[in-house]
Amino acid sequence: MNWEIIVEDTALPPPAISWEQLPFGRVFGRYLAYAKYQEGGWQEVRVKRFERLSLSPGTSALHYGQAIFEGLKAYHRPKDTYFAFRVADHYQRFVRSAERLVMPPVPAELFLGLLRRLLQVEKDLFPPDLRHALYIRPLYFAADPWLGVRPSDSYIFLIYLTPVGPYYGEPVRVYVEEELVRAAPGGTGSIKMAGNYSAAMLSGKKAQQHNCHVSLWLDAIRHELIEEFSTMNVFFVQKGPTLITPPLDRGTILPGITRDTVLKMAQMLGISWKEQEVSIHELTEGIAHGSILEVFGTGTAATIMPVRSLFYANKWWQLPPTHPIADLLALTYRQILSGEKSVVSEWIWEI
Ligand SMILES: *Cc1c(COP(=O)(O)O)cnc(C)c1O
């Protein structure tokens, strides 16, 4: 099916953006791509003014957490190419997240059609250089206005944009979470669902109290195997060098698109890599003995983020101050975005 996507209020003036002092996720675009699912079909499909939604206090998503989202980025190349990165992969993950929460699938034509129209009308929000990006936030939630624990009959799907700069300014200090659990086998750790992030907030607070930026999660059962950060996947660089990241098969790790991009870049660069479980004991011993040279996180928001130190078992574990593999991968990532390095064409979704 093809949706005719109406754009309301096409003459909104562009916002003034000071790219050099841009807090993450605080400045919004002028427009909101919007669609409502009810009575078995999609209605009110349009790109409209970004403004408050009017919702019933009974809105199902607020009570029972039937809500998912995505996070992807769009960029502008000097020679006038406007594109979003790995859109098809983000869409597929969005579909899987919806399936797990018994939400009706958002058709590809609707998702992509709304996204394209939105990016077109917000063209002057694209950043001037590749250190900045236009962050895209698709959101999908249950909209039934009455109580009762069951999948909603109506849903709201929307996409909005926020221009962003770098996420963390410096290599991060990591709090290893030994007590709380983010995801268990059979749970929802492998989808981008709202509740995963609220469940991680207490650990985030503990991290802050220990002067750390982020939590690193261990497996739910033995509290030993390293899984990921609250918003990033994790990589280790072993002497060799070999790149290691935990496998996804327990279903407790979010299958990051950046994780996948990093593995593909390692392949391109001839860096050996493997998916392998790493326990927190192996990691701390490896750091102490110098066999683990780097640890870094990967995610769309933060891209590739080196780790400075870890707080675990009441001790600080320091990583070496340089992180050449993370730097090489970050450079290669920028070269992919700038077009200096070519990649499979589906990764670059031109608008
Ligand atoms: C979004 C997210 C990531 C990173 O995924 P990308 O597709 O690389 O952005 C990693 N872990 C969690 C828990 C996430 O929510």
Side-chain angles (χ1 to χ4, degrees), residues 106-140:
V106 176
E109 312 85 73
L110 184 67
F111 185 102
L112 300 175
L114 278 169
L115 179 56
R116 190 180 292 281
R117 276 314 271 134
L118 180 67
L119 289 172
Q120 283 167 349
V121 297
E122 296 275 44
K123 235 176 183 173
D124 41 24
L125 283 189
F126 277 75
D129 59 68
L130 294 170
R131 288 183 309 117
H132 298 88
L134 189 51
Y135 186 83
I136 304 166
R137 169 53 56 89
L139 176 70
Y140 188 32

PDB file of all heavy atoms in Angstrom, residues 106-140:
ATOM      1  N   VAL A 106       4.678  -1.936  11.781  1.00  0.00           N
ATOM      2  CA  VAL A 106       4.572  -0.699  10.991  1.00  0.00           C
ATOM      3  C   VAL A 106       5.093  -1.058   9.599  1.00  0.00           C
ATOM      4  O   VAL A 106       6.247  -1.474   9.472  1.00  0.00           O
ATOM      5  CB  VAL A 106       5.422   0.432  11.613  1.00  0.00           C
ATOM      6  CG1 VAL A 106       5.388   1.677  10.733  1.00  0.00           C
ATOM      7  CG2 VAL A 106       4.938   0.758  13.021  1.00  0.00           C
ATOM      8  N   PRO A 107       4.239  -0.938   8.565  1.00  0.00           N
ATOM      9  CA  PRO A 107       4.696  -1.346   7.226  1.00  0.00           C
ATOM     10  C   PRO A 107       5.929  -0.550   6.784  1.00  0.00           C
ATOM     11  O   PRO A 107       6.057   0.634   7.113  1.00  0.00           O
ATOM     12  CB  PRO A 107       3.504  -1.019   6.324  1.00  0.00           C
ATOM     13  CG  PRO A 107       2.328  -0.893   7.228  1.00  0.00           C
ATOM     14  CD  PRO A 107       2.847  -0.433   8.547  1.00  0.00           C
ATOM     15  N   ALA A 108       6.808  -1.216   6.038  1.00  0.00           N
ATOM     16  CA  ALA A 108       8.039  -0.566   5.579  1.00  0.00           C
ATOM     17  C   ALA A 108       7.745   0.707   4.797  1.00  0.00           C
ATOM     18  O   ALA A 108       8.404   1.737   4.990  1.00  0.00           O
ATOM     19  CB  ALA A 108       8.857  -1.530   4.722  1.00  0.00           C
ATOM     20  N   GLU A 109       6.720   0.661   3.934  1.00  0.00           N
ATOM     21  CA  GLU A 109       6.427   1.844   3.113  1.00  0.00           C
ATOM     22  C   GLU A 109       5.998   3.019   3.989  1.00  0.00           C
ATOM     23  O   GLU A 109       6.276   4.178   3.654  1.00  0.00           O
ATOM     24  CB  GLU A 109       5.310   1.575   2.093  1.00  0.00           C
ATOM     25  CG  GLU A 109       5.460   0.304   1.275  1.00  0.00           C
ATOM     26  CD  GLU A 109       4.902  -0.892   2.028  1.00  0.00           C
ATOM     27  OE1 GLU A 109       3.687  -0.995   2.141  1.00  0.00           O
ATOM     28  OE2 GLU A 109       5.696  -1.722   2.519  1.00  0.00           O
ATOM     29  N   LEU A 110       5.320   2.718   5.081  1.00  0.00           N
ATOM     30  CA  LEU A 110       4.869   3.788   5.962  1.00  0.00           C
ATOM     31  C   LEU A 110       6.058   4.377   6.728  1.00  0.00           C
ATOM     32  O   LEU A 110       6.266   5.589   6.782  1.00  0.00           O
ATOM     33  CB  LEU A 110       3.811   3.249   6.938  1.00  0.00           C
ATOM     34  CG  LEU A 110       3.185   4.283   7.854  1.00  0.00           C
ATOM     35  CD1 LEU A 110       2.353   5.273   7.052  1.00  0.00           C
ATOM     36  CD2 LEU A 110       2.313   3.610   8.910  1.00  0.00           C
ATOM     37  N   PHE A 111       6.850   3.481   7.308  1.00  0.00           N
ATOM     38  CA  PHE A 111       8.030   3.899   8.073  1.00  0.00           C
ATOM     39  C   PHE A 111       8.977   4.709   7.185  1.00  0.00           C
ATOM     40  O   PHE A 111       9.375   5.825   7.517  1.00  0.00           O
ATOM     41  CB  PHE A 111       8.719   2.639   8.607  1.00  0.00           C
ATOM     42  CG  PHE A 111       9.886   2.875   9.529  1.00  0.00           C
ATOM     43  CD1 PHE A 111       9.747   2.731  10.897  1.00  0.00           C
ATOM     44  CD2 PHE A 111      11.148   3.205   9.029  1.00  0.00           C
ATOM     45  CE1 PHE A 111      10.823   2.917  11.756  1.00  0.00           C
ATOM     46  CE2 PHE A 111      12.229   3.401   9.880  1.00  0.00           C
ATOM     47  CZ  PHE A 111      12.057   3.257  11.241  1.00  0.00           C
ATOM     48  N   LEU A 112       9.305   4.145   6.025  1.00  0.00           N
ATOM     49  CA  LEU A 112      10.291   4.790   5.149  1.00  0.00           C
ATOM     50  C   LEU A 112       9.716   6.034   4.481  1.00  0.00           C
ATOM     51  O   LEU A 112      10.422   7.033   4.306  1.00  0.00           O
ATOM     52  CB  LEU A 112      10.788   3.797   4.098  1.00  0.00           C
ATOM     53  CG  LEU A 112      11.473   2.549   4.662  1.00  0.00           C
ATOM     54  CD1 LEU A 112      11.821   1.578   3.546  1.00  0.00           C
ATOM     55  CD2 LEU A 112      12.726   2.899   5.462  1.00  0.00           C
ATOM     56  N   GLY A 113       8.438   5.982   4.124  1.00  0.00           N
ATOM     57  CA  GLY A 113       7.800   7.137   3.489  1.00  0.00           C
ATOM     58  C   GLY A 113       7.752   8.327   4.440  1.00  0.00           C
ATOM     59  O   GLY A 113       8.089   9.460   4.053  1.00  0.00           O
ATOM     60  N   LEU A 114       7.354   8.073   5.680  1.00  0.00           N
ATOM     61  CA  LEU A 114       7.303   9.162   6.661  1.00  0.00           C
ATOM     62  C   LEU A 114       8.707   9.702   6.941  1.00  0.00           C
ATOM     63  O   LEU A 114       8.916  10.912   7.035  1.00  0.00           O
ATOM     64  CB  LEU A 114       6.650   8.676   7.965  1.00  0.00           C
ATOM     65  CG  LEU A 114       5.123   8.662   7.974  1.00  0.00           C
ATOM     66  CD1 LEU A 114       4.592   7.917   9.200  1.00  0.00           C
ATOM     67  CD2 LEU A 114       4.555  10.092   7.954  1.00  0.00           C
ATOM     68  N   LEU A 115       9.658   8.784   7.071  1.00  0.00           N
ATOM     69  CA  LEU A 115      11.032   9.209   7.368  1.00  0.00           C
ATOM     70  C   LEU A 115      11.592  10.077   6.236  1.00  0.00           C
ATOM     71  O   LEU A 115      12.184  11.137   6.473  1.00  0.00           O
ATOM     72  CB  LEU A 115      11.923   7.985   7.596  1.00  0.00           C
ATOM     73  CG  LEU A 115      13.386   8.281   7.896  1.00  0.00           C
ATOM     74  CD1 LEU A 115      13.542   9.209   9.104  1.00  0.00           C
ATOM     75  CD2 LEU A 115      14.169   6.989   8.123  1.00  0.00           C
ATOM     76  N   ARG A 116      11.366   9.652   5.017  1.00  0.00           N
ATOM     77  CA  ARG A 116      11.887  10.408   3.877  1.00  0.00           C
ATOM     78  C   ARG A 116      11.270  11.814   3.805  1.00  0.00           C
ATOM     79  O   ARG A 116      11.973  12.810   3.664  1.00  0.00           O
ATOM     80  CB  ARG A 116      11.625   9.638   2.569  1.00  0.00           C
ATOM     81  CG  ARG A 116      12.342  10.226   1.353  1.00  0.00           C
ATOM     82  CD  ARG A 116      12.046   9.442   0.082  1.00  0.00           C
ATOM     83  NE  ARG A 116      12.609   8.096   0.083  1.00  0.00           N
ATOM     84  CZ  ARG A 116      13.895   7.831  -0.177  1.00  0.00           C
ATOM     85  NH1 ARG A 116      14.737   8.800  -0.451  1.00  0.00           N
ATOM     86  NH2 ARG A 116      14.324   6.588  -0.165  1.00  0.00           N
ATOM     87  N   ARG A 117       9.945  11.873   3.968  1.00  0.00           N
ATOM     88  CA  ARG A 117       9.268  13.182   3.913  1.00  0.00           C
ATOM     89  C   ARG A 117       9.764  14.097   5.026  1.00  0.00           C
ATOM     90  O   ARG A 117       9.998  15.281   4.832  1.00  0.00           O
ATOM     91  CB  ARG A 117       7.746  13.022   4.038  1.00  0.00           C
ATOM     92  CG  ARG A 117       6.993  12.706   2.793  1.00  0.00           C
ATOM     93  CD  ARG A 117       7.370  13.537   1.579  1.00  0.00           C
ATOM     94  NE  ARG A 117       6.628  14.781   1.431  1.00  0.00           N
ATOM     95  CZ  ARG A 117       7.172  15.969   1.140  1.00  0.00           C
ATOM     96  NH1 ARG A 117       8.471  16.090   0.979  1.00  0.00           N
ATOM     97  NH2 ARG A 117       6.423  17.030   1.008  1.00  0.00           N
ATOM     98  N   LEU A 118       9.910  13.504   6.215  1.00  0.00           N
ATOM     99  CA  LEU A 118      10.368  14.300   7.362  1.00  0.00           C
ATOM    100  C   LEU A 118      11.765  14.868   7.105  1.00  0.00           C
ATOM    101  O   LEU A 118      12.025  16.055   7.327  1.00  0.00           O
ATOM    102  CB  LEU A 118      10.370  13.425   8.623  1.00  0.00           C
ATOM    103  CG  LEU A 118      10.832  14.119   9.905  1.00  0.00           C
ATOM    104  CD1 LEU A 118       9.835  15.197  10.325  1.00  0.00           C
ATOM    105  CD2 LEU A 118      10.990  13.105  11.037  1.00  0.00           C
ATOM    106  N   LEU A 119      12.677  14.012   6.618  1.00  0.00           N
ATOM    107  CA  LEU A 119      14.044  14.475   6.366  1.00  0.00           C
ATOM    108  C   LEU A 119      14.063  15.528   5.263  1.00  0.00           C
ATOM    109  O   LEU A 119      14.864  16.463   5.292  1.00  0.00           O
ATOM    110  CB  LEU A 119      14.953  13.295   6.014  1.00  0.00           C
ATOM    111  CG  LEU A 119      15.266  12.349   7.185  1.00  0.00           C
ATOM    112  CD1 LEU A 119      16.012  11.116   6.683  1.00  0.00           C
ATOM    113  CD2 LEU A 119      16.090  13.055   8.264  1.00  0.00           C
ATOM    114  N   GLN A 120      13.157  15.369   4.298  1.00  0.00           N
ATOM    115  CA  GLN A 120      13.107  16.366   3.214  1.00  0.00           C
ATOM    116  C   GLN A 120      12.662  17.729   3.730  1.00  0.00           C
ATOM    117  O   GLN A 120      13.274  18.747   3.398  1.00  0.00           O
ATOM    118  CB  GLN A 120      12.170  15.876   2.100  1.00  0.00           C
ATOM    119  CG  GLN A 120      12.810  14.811   1.227  1.00  0.00           C
ATOM    120  CD  GLN A 120      11.807  14.085   0.324  1.00  0.00           C
ATOM    121  OE1 GLN A 120      10.592  14.222   0.485  1.00  0.00           O
ATOM    122  NE2 GLN A 120      12.316  13.303  -0.607  1.00  0.00           N
ATOM    123  N   VAL A 121      11.618  17.742   4.569  1.00  0.00           N
ATOM    124  CA  VAL A 121      11.158  19.061   5.039  1.00  0.00           C
ATOM    125  C   VAL A 121      12.096  19.659   6.086  1.00  0.00           C
ATOM    126  O   VAL A 121      12.045  20.855   6.353  1.00  0.00           O
ATOM    127  CB  VAL A 121       9.704  19.051   5.596  1.00  0.00           C
ATOM    128  CG1 VAL A 121       8.718  18.666   4.510  1.00  0.00           C
ATOM    129  CG2 VAL A 121       9.561  18.169   6.814  1.00  0.00           C
ATOM    130  N   GLU A 122      12.952  18.830   6.677  1.00  0.00           N
ATOM    131  CA  GLU A 122      13.879  19.331   7.697  1.00  0.00           C
ATOM    132  C   GLU A 122      15.307  19.424   7.156  1.00  0.00           C
ATOM    133  O   GLU A 122      16.270  19.355   7.920  1.00  0.00           O
ATOM    134  CB  GLU A 122      13.862  18.404   8.918  1.00  0.00           C
ATOM    135  CG  GLU A 122      12.532  18.342   9.647  1.00  0.00           C
ATOM    136  CD  GLU A 122      12.347  19.449  10.668  1.00  0.00           C
ATOM    137  OE1 GLU A 122      12.660  20.617  10.367  1.00  0.00           O
ATOM    138  OE2 GLU A 122      11.888  19.139  11.777  1.00  0.00           O
ATOM    139  N   LYS A 123      15.454  19.598   5.876  1.00  0.00           N
ATOM    140  CA  LYS A 123      16.785  19.585   5.257  1.00  0.00           C
ATOM    141  C   LYS A 123      17.736  20.591   5.891  1.00  0.00           C
ATOM    142  O   LYS A 123      18.933  20.333   6.011  1.00  0.00           O
ATOM    143  CB  LYS A 123      16.681  19.845   3.755  1.00  0.00           C
ATOM    144  CG  LYS A 123      17.354  18.745   2.955  1.00  0.00           C
ATOM    145  CD  LYS A 123      17.185  18.935   1.473  1.00  0.00           C
ATOM    146  CE  LYS A 123      17.834  17.751   0.762  1.00  0.00           C
ATOM    147  NZ  LYS A 123      17.576  17.766  -0.667  1.00  0.00           N
ATOM    148  N   ASP A 124      17.213  21.734   6.330  1.00  0.00           N
ATOM    149  CA  ASP A 124      18.142  22.712   6.910  1.00  0.00           C
ATOM    150  C   ASP A 124      18.533  22.383   8.354  1.00  0.00           C
ATOM    151  O   ASP A 124      19.245  23.140   9.006  1.00  0.00           O
ATOM    152  CB  ASP A 124      17.623  24.153   6.751  1.00  0.00           C
ATOM    153  CG  ASP A 124      16.142  24.258   6.998  1.00  0.00           C
ATOM    154  OD1 ASP A 124      15.612  23.385   7.705  1.00  0.00           O
ATOM    155  OD2 ASP A 124      15.512  25.203   6.488  1.00  0.00           O
ATOM    156  N   LEU A 125      18.107  21.219   8.859  1.00  0.00           N
ATOM    157  CA  LEU A 125      18.586  20.765  10.172  1.00  0.00           C
ATOM    158  C   LEU A 125      19.801  19.852  10.049  1.00  0.00           C
ATOM    159  O   LEU A 125      20.384  19.456  11.053  1.00  0.00           O
ATOM    160  CB  LEU A 125      17.494  19.966  10.889  1.00  0.00           C
ATOM    161  CG  LEU A 125      16.344  20.704  11.545  1.00  0.00           C
ATOM    162  CD1 LEU A 125      15.540  19.713  12.369  1.00  0.00           C
ATOM    163  CD2 LEU A 125      16.857  21.817  12.433  1.00  0.00           C
ATOM    164  N   PHE A 126      20.168  19.492   8.827  1.00  0.00           N
ATOM    165  CA  PHE A 126      21.339  18.618   8.652  1.00  0.00           C
ATOM    166  C   PHE A 126      22.598  19.360   9.094  1.00  0.00           C
ATOM    167  O   PHE A 126      22.746  20.553   8.826  1.00  0.00           O
ATOM    168  CB  PHE A 126      21.472  18.174   7.193  1.00  0.00           C
ATOM    169  CG  PHE A 126      20.615  16.992   6.839  1.00  0.00           C
ATOM    170  CD1 PHE A 126      19.256  17.135   6.667  1.00  0.00           C
ATOM    171  CD2 PHE A 126      21.178  15.732   6.701  1.00  0.00           C
ATOM    172  CE1 PHE A 126      18.453  16.045   6.342  1.00  0.00           C
ATOM    173  CE2 PHE A 126      20.390  14.629   6.374  1.00  0.00           C
ATOM    174  CZ  PHE A 126      19.027  14.784   6.198  1.00  0.00           C
ATOM    175  N   PRO A 127      23.506  18.674   9.763  1.00  0.00           N
ATOM    176  CA  PRO A 127      24.688  19.338  10.313  1.00  0.00           C
ATOM    177  C   PRO A 127      25.693  19.752   9.244  1.00  0.00           C
ATOM    178  O   PRO A 127      25.728  19.164   8.166  1.00  0.00           O
ATOM    179  CB  PRO A 127      25.293  18.274  11.232  1.00  0.00           C
ATOM    180  CG  PRO A 127      24.827  16.992  10.659  1.00  0.00           C
ATOM    181  CD  PRO A 127      23.469  17.243  10.080  1.00  0.00           C
ATOM    182  N   PRO A 128      26.513  20.736   9.573  1.00  0.00           N
ATOM    183  CA  PRO A 128      27.493  21.242   8.608  1.00  0.00           C
ATOM    184  C   PRO A 128      28.705  20.327   8.443  1.00  0.00           C
ATOM    185  O   PRO A 128      29.451  20.469   7.475  1.00  0.00           O
ATOM    186  CB  PRO A 128      27.922  22.577   9.218  1.00  0.00           C
ATOM    187  CG  PRO A 128      27.679  22.427  10.686  1.00  0.00           C
ATOM    188  CD  PRO A 128      26.501  21.520  10.824  1.00  0.00           C
ATOM    189  N   ASP A 129      28.951  19.418   9.373  1.00  0.00           N
ATOM    190  CA  ASP A 129      30.121  18.541   9.279  1.00  0.00           C
ATOM    191  C   ASP A 129      29.793  17.191   9.908  1.00  0.00           C
ATOM    192  O   ASP A 129      28.739  17.030  10.523  1.00  0.00           O
ATOM    193  CB  ASP A 129      31.321  19.175   9.997  1.00  0.00           C
ATOM    194  CG  ASP A 129      31.009  19.440  11.451  1.00  0.00           C
ATOM    195  OD1 ASP A 129      30.845  18.464  12.205  1.00  0.00           O
ATOM    196  OD2 ASP A 129      30.891  20.620  11.842  1.00  0.00           O
ATOM    197  N   LEU A 130      30.732  16.232   9.776  1.00  0.00           N
ATOM    198  CA  LEU A 130      30.433  14.861  10.205  1.00  0.00           C
ATOM    199  C   LEU A 130      30.697  14.603  11.695  1.00  0.00           C
ATOM    200  O   LEU A 130      30.496  13.500  12.179  1.00  0.00           O
ATOM    201  CB  LEU A 130      31.203  13.863   9.341  1.00  0.00           C
ATOM    202  CG  LEU A 130      30.764  13.851   7.866  1.00  0.00           C
ATOM    203  CD1 LEU A 130      31.723  13.023   7.022  1.00  0.00           C
ATOM    204  CD2 LEU A 130      29.337  13.338   7.711  1.00  0.00           C
ATOM    205  N   ARG A 131      31.159  15.625  12.422  1.00  0.00           N
ATOM    206  CA  ARG A 131      31.244  15.458  13.886  1.00  0.00           C
ATOM    207  C   ARG A 131      29.859  15.601  14.501  1.00  0.00           C
ATOM    208  O   ARG A 131      29.608  15.217  15.625  1.00  0.00           O
ATOM    209  CB  ARG A 131      32.163  16.519  14.511  1.00  0.00           C
ATOM    210  CG  ARG A 131      33.643  16.306  14.227  1.00  0.00           C
ATOM    211  CD  ARG A 131      34.484  17.354  14.936  1.00  0.00           C
ATOM    212  NE  ARG A 131      34.001  18.702  14.650  1.00  0.00           N
ATOM    213  CZ  ARG A 131      33.512  19.531  15.571  1.00  0.00           C
ATOM    214  NH1 ARG A 131      33.455  19.180  16.827  1.00  0.00           N
ATOM    215  NH2 ARG A 131      33.090  20.731  15.222  1.00  0.00           N
ATOM    216  N   HIS A 132      28.986  16.212  13.742  1.00  0.00           N
ATOM    217  CA  HIS A 132      27.607  16.383  14.196  1.00  0.00           C
ATOM    218  C   HIS A 132      26.689  15.514  13.343  1.00  0.00           C
ATOM    219  O   HIS A 132      27.089  15.067  12.282  1.00  0.00           O
ATOM    220  CB  HIS A 132      27.199  17.849  14.084  1.00  0.00           C
ATOM    221  CG  HIS A 132      28.021  18.752  14.938  1.00  0.00           C
ATOM    222  ND1 HIS A 132      29.204  19.302  14.507  1.00  0.00           N
ATOM    223  CD2 HIS A 132      27.838  19.183  16.197  1.00  0.00           C
ATOM    224  CE1 HIS A 132      29.719  20.042  15.469  1.00  0.00           C
ATOM    225  NE2 HIS A 132      28.908  19.987  16.515  1.00  0.00           N
ATOM    226  N   ALA A 133      25.485  15.318  13.838  1.00  0.00           N
ATOM    227  CA  ALA A 133      24.553  14.481  13.082  1.00  0.00           C
ATOM    228  C   ALA A 133      23.134  14.937  13.361  1.00  0.00           C
ATOM    229  O   ALA A 133      22.883  15.691  14.313  1.00  0.00           O
ATOM    230  CB  ALA A 133      24.721  13.022  13.482  1.00  0.00           C
ATOM    231  N   LEU A 134      22.240  14.472  12.526  1.00  0.00           N
ATOM    232  CA  LEU A 134      20.826  14.670  12.769  1.00  0.00           C
ATOM    233  C   LEU A 134      20.312  13.341  13.312  1.00  0.00           C
ATOM    234  O   LEU A 134      20.257  12.343  12.592  1.00  0.00           O
ATOM    235  CB  LEU A 134      20.133  15.061  11.465  1.00  0.00           C
ATOM    236  CG  LEU A 134      18.685  15.502  11.567  1.00  0.00           C
ATOM    237  CD1 LEU A 134      18.507  16.581  12.621  1.00  0.00           C
ATOM    238  CD2 LEU A 134      18.212  16.009  10.211  1.00  0.00           C
ATOM    239  N   TYR A 135      20.031  13.320  14.590  1.00  0.00           N
ATOM    240  CA  TYR A 135      19.583  12.088  15.244  1.00  0.00           C
ATOM    241  C   TYR A 135      18.090  11.900  14.979  1.00  0.00           C
ATOM    242  O   TYR A 135      17.311  12.839  15.104  1.00  0.00           O
ATOM    243  CB  TYR A 135      19.859  12.174  16.738  1.00  0.00           C
ATOM    244  CG  TYR A 135      19.584  10.911  17.512  1.00  0.00           C
ATOM    245  CD1 TYR A 135      20.529   9.889  17.567  1.00  0.00           C
ATOM    246  CD2 TYR A 135      18.381  10.731  18.190  1.00  0.00           C
ATOM    247  CE1 TYR A 135      20.290   8.725  18.283  1.00  0.00           C
ATOM    248  CE2 TYR A 135      18.133   9.574  18.901  1.00  0.00           C
ATOM    249  CZ  TYR A 135      19.092   8.573  18.940  1.00  0.00           C
ATOM    250  OH  TYR A 135      18.838   7.426  19.652  1.00  0.00           O
ATOM    251  N   ILE A 136      17.725  10.684  14.603  1.00  0.00           N
ATOM    252  CA  ILE A 136      16.341  10.369  14.230  1.00  0.00           C
ATOM    253  C   ILE A 136      15.739   9.462  15.292  1.00  0.00           C
ATOM    254  O   ILE A 136      16.314   8.413  15.603  1.00  0.00           O
ATOM    255  CB  ILE A 136      16.305   9.639  12.867  1.00  0.00           C
ATOM    256  CG1 ILE A 136      17.000  10.478  11.790  1.00  0.00           C
ATOM    257  CG2 ILE A 136      14.886   9.281  12.476  1.00  0.00           C
ATOM    258  CD1 ILE A 136      17.300   9.702  10.510  1.00  0.00           C
ATOM    259  N   ARG A 137      14.616   9.850  15.822  1.00  0.00           N
ATOM    260  CA  ARG A 137      13.984   9.036  16.860  1.00  0.00           C
ATOM    261  C   ARG A 137      12.593   8.569  16.436  1.00  0.00           C
ATOM    262  O   ARG A 137      11.629   9.314  16.541  1.00  0.00           O
ATOM    263  CB  ARG A 137      13.920   9.865  18.152  1.00  0.00           C
ATOM    264  CG  ARG A 137      13.064   9.293  19.281  1.00  0.00           C
ATOM    265  CD  ARG A 137      13.392   7.869  19.647  1.00  0.00           C
ATOM    266  NE  ARG A 137      14.745   7.580  20.007  1.00  0.00           N
ATOM    267  CZ  ARG A 137      15.255   7.646  21.238  1.00  0.00           C
ATOM    268  NH1 ARG A 137      14.506   8.032  22.236  1.00  0.00           N
ATOM    269  NH2 ARG A 137      16.510   7.311  21.464  1.00  0.00           N
ATOM    270  N   PRO A 138      12.466   7.348  15.919  1.00  0.00           N
ATOM    271  CA  PRO A 138      11.148   6.740  15.735  1.00  0.00           C
ATOM    272  C   PRO A 138      10.652   6.213  17.087  1.00  0.00           C
ATOM    273  O   PRO A 138      11.425   5.640  17.855  1.00  0.00           O
ATOM    274  CB  PRO A 138      11.407   5.581  14.771  1.00  0.00           C
ATOM    275  CG  PRO A 138      12.787   5.831  14.209  1.00  0.00           C
ATOM    276  CD  PRO A 138      13.524   6.542  15.303  1.00  0.00           C
ATOM    277  N   LEU A 139       9.375   6.429  17.359  1.00  0.00           N
ATOM    278  CA  LEU A 139       8.764   5.998  18.620  1.00  0.00           C
ATOM    279  C   LEU A 139       7.414   5.376  18.312  1.00  0.00           C
ATOM    280  O   LEU A 139       6.691   5.869  17.442  1.00  0.00           O
ATOM    281  CB  LEU A 139       8.596   7.222  19.537  1.00  0.00           C
ATOM    282  CG  LEU A 139       7.879   7.016  20.869  1.00  0.00           C
ATOM    283  CD1 LEU A 139       8.733   6.193  21.821  1.00  0.00           C
ATOM    284  CD2 LEU A 139       7.560   8.376  21.509  1.00  0.00           C
ATOM    285  N   TYR A 140       7.074   4.325  19.047  1.00  0.00           N
ATOM    286  CA  TYR A 140       5.843   3.590  18.744  1.00  0.00           C
ATOM    287  C   TYR A 140       5.257   3.121  20.066  1.00  0.00           C
ATOM    288  O   TYR A 140       5.953   2.432  20.830  1.00  0.00           O
ATOM    289  CB  TYR A 140       6.221   2.411  17.845  1.00  0.00           C
ATOM    290  CG  TYR A 140       5.079   1.623  17.244  1.00  0.00           C
ATOM    291  CD1 TYR A 140       3.867   2.211  16.902  1.00  0.00           C
ATOM    292  CD2 TYR A 140       5.243   0.259  16.975  1.00  0.00           C
ATOM    293  CE1 TYR A 140       2.853   1.470  16.318  1.00  0.00           C
ATOM    294  CE2 TYR A 140       4.240  -0.491  16.385  1.00  0.00           C
ATOM    295  CZ  TYR A 140       3.036   0.119  16.066  1.00  0.00           C
ATOM    296  OH  TYR A 140       2.039  -0.617  15.492  1.00  0.00           O
TER     297      TYR A 140
END
